[in-house]
Amino acid sequence: MLTIFSDYTLRTVALGAGALGIVSGVLGSFAVLRKQSLLGDAISHAALPGVVIGFLIGGKSPLALLIGAAGAGWLGTLVVRSIVRTTRIKDDGALGLVLSVFFGIGLMLLTFVQRQPDASQAGLDTFLFGQAAALVRSDVVTIALLGAVAIATVAVFWKEFKLLSFDPEFGTTLGLPMGRIDVLLTTLLVIAIVIGLQTVGVVLMSAMVVAPGAAARQWTNRLGVMVPLSALFGATAGVSGAVISSQEAQLPTGPMIVLSASVLVLVSLSLAPGRGLLWELWRRRKNRKRLSVDAVLADLYALDLQHEDEHPHSVAALNAMSAERDGVGEELKQLEDRGWASQAAEEQWVLTDAGRAEARLRSRSASMPGDGRASEEADGRLGAAP
Amino acid sequence: MTSFTLAAGQVLIHGRPYAEQERQVAYVPQRGSVDWDFPTTVLDVVMMGRYGTIGWMRRPGGKERALALEALAKVGMQAYADRQISQLSGGQQQRVFVARSLVQDASVFLMDEPFQGVDATTERAIVLLLQDLRASGKTVVVVHHDLQTVADYFDWVTLLNVRRIASGPVHEVFTEENVRLAYGGRVAWLKTEPAATTGSTTAR
């Protein structure tokens, strides 16, 4: 881990990967909330022909490749839009079409360029799966600059982007140009994806868009928390992916970054309070416990109604009445903690006055209209209770 | 609404084209039109009603907060201001949408089925609010399907079935004959059946 500070290459790669993680985390949050996860996939695949065309026109300068990628990615979203608007094909179909057609053209162009006799095109195919190790200082600066612009724009148009993600129709009725706001947010998403292509590659880049946002959504119910958290997750995935892959020379960086992000998603899906799977299990267990405690209270009350005076009841009788397989010991303990029952003797329990009042209240609110007998009995008790 | 294309005719608000009067119209969509799992609070959603007037690059502040809380109080939802919106019942969601329209400072309210599938508390809260709005000189246009409540809730009714069947004060227009026309004769008088749209306004 210390090598991250001393090893120049690793530091460059980790910085670049971390920066792109932040940017894709921020923009990805909105994509996830707008249910546009697949759009990220379509944009990154659609960018490939742009990369090759950028190379054909501008040579191997990073800027030419970036502009080419962004142009093609953006064109891809335009095509998706117009397909949805003018045909009967729905979003998912249009995205799938654009993704495969653009990617196919990209692969074809790539093959064509690689057949050229000179060697200048070498390394262009790293855009498929990314090659973080090839990141140099100027690349990192480009990622950081473009990313900063994108994030600053999100900050400026925060409330508009929030409205666009939640209720765009309503935004239109407010007189806001939701169409243009949509184009702006999509453009930022294109930027976020394009700056990650060299590091993570067109095939896996969509994971960097979806994973941090999906993980962050699990932990919070506030957009203002979700977006920074998603940025943090993205950065964590980027840096740890870079570090892990540097430990084993054979491990490619892009896939390691995506795997790190996937681990974050898995952990979030299972552990997050409120939404996670473990939380759900725990809540169900707690509910069952509560219901069984209620049931034992009702049983005690039913026994209590059969006697005029305060009369202890055996645990054996309660066990027999209960559906719990492992006995009612724990439930009785809980009733005692709440002051609703007390132990009269060994294996003998009695309802306290508070417990009786509580049980009466519950039996009354639970009793059906027309179930007069039970409530009359309960009312009779009301007068007798001290 | 600008998101709908006109099939024919024109939309005039206070005698001027809708495009010039957007700010005068508050729209309450059907609550099923959004994702209620969106990570935001009740107060935040209500403040969205101010987004058109706050201006670019500015965040909602104390004034918007106060307006939103006031609107929530009017629909009996002030206790829910900090709730995550996924924790609301259907009726509460509807009241949040109505509160959001209240902060818009509009003079015309368009409500799309605000009474659709809501609880009695919500229905009562919204009806009281409609009367409030009428008393303060606002116009409320409601898409409504419950024939039994039309006479109680509204002053003016327009019966639609593809075309306009009838339009006028409820006591004149809301007759058995007109309702039969609107429902294609397939309805027993005062029996609820969703087929025609009854748009009703409170007169100014």
Side-chain angles (χ1 to χ4, degrees):
Chain A
M1 191 65 196
L2 277 174
T3 48
I4 193 168
F5 300 107
S6 52
D7 183 335
Y8 172 81
T9 315
L10 176 56
R11 197 172 57 207
T12 312
V13 172
L15 272 177
L20 85 86
I22 291 173
V23 183
S24 57
V26 169
L27 274 312
S29 294
F30 289 98
V32 167
L33 289 175
R34 300 180 69 197
K35 304 182 173 49
Q36 287 188 334
S37 308
L38 200 54
L39 182 64
D41 211 13
I43 292 173
S44 63
H45 280 79
L48 186 62
V51 172
V52 184
I53 293 170
F55 166 79
L56 286 175
I57 295 171
K60 242 189 135 182
S61 91
L63 198 63
L65 300 183
L66 265 182
I67 291 173
W74 206 73
L75 184 69
T77 69
L78 276 190
V79 176
V80 169
R81 236 173 247 271
S82 51
I83 289 178
V84 171
R85 214 177 27 230
T86 56
T87 70
R88 303 179 77 96
I89 298 172
K90 298 271 181 290
D91 256 10
D92 57 338
L95 288 166
L97 270 175
V98 166
L99 184 155
S100 41
V101 169
F102 274 65
F103 189 57
I105 296 173
L107 282 180
M108 195 190 70
L109 286 175
L110 196 59
T111 317
F112 168 74
V113 168
Q114 281 175 327
R115 291 244 181 83
Q116 302 301 300
D118 65 300
S120 68
Q121 88 287 356
L124 210 53
D125 56 348
T126 61
F127 273 87
L128 279 178
F129 294 106
Q131 195 178 51
L135 279 183
V136 292
R137 206 185 133 84
S138 66
D139 294 326
V140 177
V141 170
T142 312
I143 291 176
L145 277 180
L146 280 172
V149 170
I151 290 175
T153 315
V154 169
V156 167
F157 293 98
W158 178 262
K159 73 175 191 297
E160 284 78 12
F161 288 165
K162 176 156 71 175
L163 188 57
L164 176 72
S165 309
F166 177 62
D167 195 353
E169 287 272 301
F170 180 72
T172 309
T173 72
L174 288 177
L176 293 170
M178 296 316 281
R180 266 177 278 166
I181 294 170
D182 188 2
V183 169
L184 180 61
L185 184 55
T186 308
T187 307
L188 297 182
L189 182 64
V190 169
I191 292 176
I193 288 171
V194 163
I195 60 178
L197 289 184
Q198 197 189 344
T199 311
V200 181
V202 296
V203 180
L204 291 176
M205 191 53 207
S206 70
M208 281 310 284
V209 172
V210 180
R217 179 67 189 88
Q218 292 295 111
W219 298 93
T220 175
N221 277 330
R222 300 280 187 280
L223 186 64
V225 179
M226 176 183 165
V227 172
L229 192 61
S230 176
L232 180 70
F233 283 166
T236 309
V239 173
S240 53
V243 171
I244 293 168
S245 75
S246 76
Q247 306 302 311
E248 285 289 333
Q250 298 307 312
L251 290 178
T253 314
M256 283 321 293
I257 293 173
V258 170
L259 279 179
S260 306
S262 311
V263 169
L264 283 172
V265 172
L266 270 179
V267 169
S268 302
L269 282 178
S270 46
L271 294 186
R275 293 179 148 251
L277 291 172
L278 280 183
W279 177 274
E280 184 61 30
L281 284 177
W282 179 75
R283 192 168 48 195
R284 264 189 225 163
R285 202 183 134 76
K286 208 177 87 177
N287 267 339
R288 224 180 42 219
K289 242 338 16 116
R290 211 194 61 214
L291 286 174
S292 68
V293 170
D294 288 358
V296 172
L297 179 67
D299 291 347
L300 256 178
Y301 182 58
L303 289 173
D304 190 66
L305 285 175
Q306 296 170 4
H307 303 273
E308 271 304 309
D309 55 338
E310 221 169 67
H311 186 95
H313 308 287
S314 73
V315 172
L318 290 167
N319 273 339
M321 293 170 84
S322 167
E324 290 292 300
R325 257 165 287 155
D326 50 351
V328 297
E330 205 179 320
E331 284 77 12
L332 285 170
K333 264 268 164 317
Q334 287 219 21
L335 287 177
E336 189 176 29
D337 286 348
R338 291 185 217 178
W340 290 346
S342 62
Q343 192 162 13
E346 185 74 20
E347 297 286 292
Q348 296 282 317
W349 286 75
V350 66
L351 209 56
T352 64
D353 289 338
R356 197 170 294 118
E358 179 70 24
R360 190 180 303 127
L361 207 71
R362 290 186 189 195
S363 75
R364 203 178 292 167
S365 61
S367 71
M368 294 296 183
D371 186 14
R373 225 179 70 91
S375 59
E376 255 170 47
E377 255 174 330
D379 286 339
R381 263 288 175 179
L382 188 64
Chain B
M1 301 295 94
T2 49
S3 44
F4 303 132
T5 30
L6 287 176
Q10 53 182 343
V11 179
L12 297 181
I13 308 287
H14 302 324
R16 305 196 59 83
Y18 169 73
E20 294 173 25
Q21 301 278 57
E22 274 173 340
R23 293 276 152 83
Q24 289 299 319
V25 183
Y27 174 55
V28 180
Q30 294 196 12
R31 62 174 199 278
S33 61
V34 302
D35 174 15
W36 288 94
D37 195 35
F38 195 82
T40 190
T41 60
V42 166
L43 188 71
D44 221 28
V45 171
V46 177
M47 286 198 291
M48 285 179 188
R50 300 294 303 167
Y51 281 13
T53 32
I54 292 175
W56 296 99
M57 302 197 205
R58 308 223 347 236
R59 300 277 175 96
K63 185 187 159 211
E64 282 71 31
R65 221 186 133 76
L67 280 168
L69 284 171
E70 195 186 320
L72 278 173
K74 281 187 190 157
V75 295
M77 289 283 292
Q78 66 274 53
Y80 297 85
D82 290 322
R83 269 295 170 96
Q84 147 72 11
I85 55 171
S86 64
Q87 295 164 2
L88 301 178
S89 73
Q92 290 168 340
Q93 292 172 353
Q94 190 66 58
R95 281 187 273 162
V96 169
F97 266 1
V98 171
R100 184 176 68 173
S101 74
L102 291 180
V103 301
Q104 281 179 251
D105 245 350
S107 59
V108 177
F109 291 79
L110 296 184
M111 303 192 182
D112 193 354
E113 299 273 11
F115 302 113
Q116 179 85 57
V118 300
D119 52 283
T121 318
T122 299
E123 179 141 356
R124 208 158 39 238
I126 296 179
V127 167
L128 287 176
L129 199 71
L130 293 188
Q131 289 164 356
D132 242 34
L133 289 170
R134 174 180 57 184
S136 53
K138 315 280 191 192
T139 303
V140 187
V141 181
V142 177
V143 179
H144 194 60
H145 269 119
D146 184 3
L147 296 179
Q148 321 215 13
T149 52
V150 168
D152 293 337
Y153 292 175
F154 307 109
D155 306 323
W156 190 277
V157 65
T158 299
L159 296 166
L160 299 171
N161 184 359
V162 185
R163 62 185 186 86
R164 187 179 65 181
I165 306 292
S167 186
V170 169
H171 60 91
E172 286 173 21
V173 170
F174 195 62
T175 60
E176 181 171 355
E177 195 200 341
N178 280 338
V179 172
R180 256 185 221 294
L181 276 171
Y183 280 77
R186 285 180 287 109
V187 68
W189 177 233
L190 285 193
K191 207 168 157 200
T192 316
E193 189 173 293
T197 308
T198 315
S200 307
T201 64
T202 53
R204 287 167 59 76

